């Protein structure tokens, strides 16, 4: 659940990991960068799925 929250925060802040770090109280910026990388892959997967439907 926290991962989803952080992904949503990253999307809402336009990928501003420093702001999300403050909001989520993560000590390690590296952890948030992983969430941000995964968020990009999620968007790509959804785009490909939708492209295949039409």
């Amino acid at each position: 659940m926290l991962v989803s929250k952080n992904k949503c925060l990253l999307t809402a802040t336009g990928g501003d990991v420093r702001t999300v770090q403050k909001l989520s109280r993560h000590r390690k910026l590296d952890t948030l960068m992983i969430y941000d990388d995964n968020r990009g892959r999620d968007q790509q997967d959804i785009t490909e799925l939708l492209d295949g439907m039409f």
Side-chain angles (χ1 to χ4, degrees):
M1 186 97 138
L2 283 176
V3 173
S4 297
K5 180 185 111 182
N6 290 328
K7 284 183 182 181
C8 288
L9 286 171
L10 284 164
T11 299
T13 61
D16 185 351
V17 290
R18 295 285 181 187
T19 299
V20 175
Q21 183 182 25
K22 290 176 188 175
L23 293 170
S24 67
R25 298 182 182 196
H26 264 287
R27 287 186 177 190
K28 294 184 178 182
L29 190 59
D30 294 343
T31 304
L32 290 173
M33 295 304 292
I34 292 169
Y35 297 156
D36 194 36
D37 290 344
N38 290 340
R39 183 176 61 101
R41 274 186 245 137
D42 291 345
Q43 290 173 344
Q44 181 180 358
D45 290 346
I46 291 170
T47 299
E48 290 172 0
L49 177 68
L50 292 172
D51 188 42
M53 294 175 77
F54 298 101

